[in-house]
Amino acid sequence: MSPRSASVNEELRRRSRERLLQATVELVDERGYEATTLGDIAERAGSARGLISYYFPGKRQLLQSAVHRLMHLSLEAGLSREPYPDGPDAGRELLARAIDAVLGLARDRPTLMRTHMAGILTAEGFIQCPEQQRLAQLLRDTVVAYGSVDPDTDYPLLRALLMGAVVAVLLPGAPMPVTRLRGELFQRYGLDWELGAPPDGEVEREPSGGTSEAGQQPALVTPGQQ
């Protein structure tokens, strides 16, 4: 039997890594972080326990990569769903879809996303990985499609606003409704409520207390605003 080619080996490693990431998402979502062991993850993925250490320095890094992969796949699905937007308002629709995809994960996967956000706020902080880089590129491309002329500034701002909204949704004891946060973000970026994937049975709501200074104009610098 001839040895496997480098490309075949690379594909096998990619699939093995993705099985570990998927197993991590499933188990932490089901059991929580502390109750999920690396052995559990390896067993669910059908991999050897030692393979985790080959790909990831530790459990927290594995979880961050797993959640970033989930976010990337969710965002990609939302942005590419049919009918794909075109015309002059396509960028606004894509930004609305991006916001809805991220807020949807906070609403639908609270245990997983709360654990993820808590890990980012620890001493280990934000971990760079291929999954995070793919997520970042999708968000940056969305900012460009929206019309930003300075994506290197506008992408980090969007990322920060989305992270803040996720924290607000998941804050124990004082969570904010997804619809309210969606309304604030849509107002900030000048997006109509019906864009993206509006929550079922919900109508647009004006923020209480009037319009904030930040909400008076889109946050991104678009052509014609300079």
Side-chain angles (χ1 to χ4, degrees), residues 109-188:
R109 313 291 284 268
T111 298
L112 183 69
M113 295 303 291
R114 187 178 291 114
T115 305
H116 173 63
M117 296 305 296
I120 289 176
L121 296 174
T122 65
E124 294 167 344
F126 195 74
I127 297 167
Q128 299 287 338
C129 61
E131 290 73 26
Q132 184 275 327
Q133 291 168 358
R134 284 191 281 270
L135 172 62
Q137 189 61 54
L138 269 183
L139 282 175
R140 193 180 188 282
D141 290 346
T142 301
V143 166
V144 172
Y146 175 80
S148 170
V149 296
D150 186 12
D152 290 336
T153 297
D154 293 331
Y155 155 66
L157 175 60
L158 175 62
R159 181 184 64 193
L161 290 170
L162 289 173
M163 289 177 67
V166 169
V167 170
V169 171
L170 301 174
L171 188 64
M176 288 192 66
V178 169
T179 51
R180 173 64 186 276
L181 292 162
R182 183 183 194 267
E184 293 285 350
L185 287 168
F186 272 43
Q187 182 184 44
R188 183 180 185 91

Side-chain angles (χ1 to χ4, degrees), residues 7-177:
S7 61
V8 170
N9 285 331
E10 180 62 27
E11 177 64 15
L12 291 173
R13 285 192 292 269
R14 184 189 66 80
R15 292 181 183 179
S16 176
R17 193 175 191 275
E18 290 191 350
R19 285 196 301 270
L20 290 170
L21 295 171
Q22 182 61 33
T24 302
V25 163
E26 293 172 359
L27 288 169
V28 173
D29 206 25
E30 294 169 10
R31 306 177 185 178
Y33 181 75
E34 297 299 335
T36 299
T37 68
L38 293 178
D40 294 333
I41 293 170
E43 182 178 2
R44 175 69 66 91
S47 302
R49 165 65 178 79
L51 198 58
I52 295 178
S53 300
Y54 176 78
Y55 292 117
F56 306 98
K59 183 177 170 184
R60 183 64 67 181
Q61 291 86 347
L62 169 58
L63 176 63
Q64 276 206 39
S65 292
V67 175
H68 283 141
R69 174 177 179 268
L70 174 65
M71 294 178 71
H72 167 258
L73 293 176
S74 298
L75 181 59
E76 187 175 55
L79 293 174
S80 62
R81 76 170 186 270
E82 298 292 340
Y84 191 78
D86 57 11
D89 287 334
R92 298 173 69 246
E93 169 65 20
L94 290 173
L95 182 58
R97 291 185 181 191
I99 292 171
D100 283 336
V102 175
L103 290 180
L105 284 173
R107 180 192 62 229
D108 300 335
R109 313 291 284 268
T111 298
L112 183 69
M113 295 303 291
R114 187 178 291 114
T115 305
H116 173 63
M117 296 305 296
I120 289 176
L121 296 174
T122 65
E124 294 167 344
F126 195 74
I127 297 167
Q128 299 287 338
C129 61
E131 290 73 26
Q132 184 275 327
Q133 291 168 358
R134 284 191 281 270
L135 172 62
Q137 189 61 54
L138 269 183
L139 282 175
R140 193 180 188 282
D141 290 346
T142 301
V143 166
V144 172
Y146 175 80
S148 170
V149 296
D150 186 12
D152 290 336
T153 297
D154 293 331
Y155 155 66
L157 175 60
L158 175 62
R159 181 184 64 193
L161 290 170
L162 289 173
M163 289 177 67
V166 169
V167 170
V169 171
L170 301 174
L171 188 64
M176 288 192 66

Side-chain angles (χ1 to χ4, degrees), residues 191-203:
L191 305 175
D192 298 328
W193 181 261
E194 61 270 17
L195 294 175
D200 293 338
E202 295 286 348
V203 296

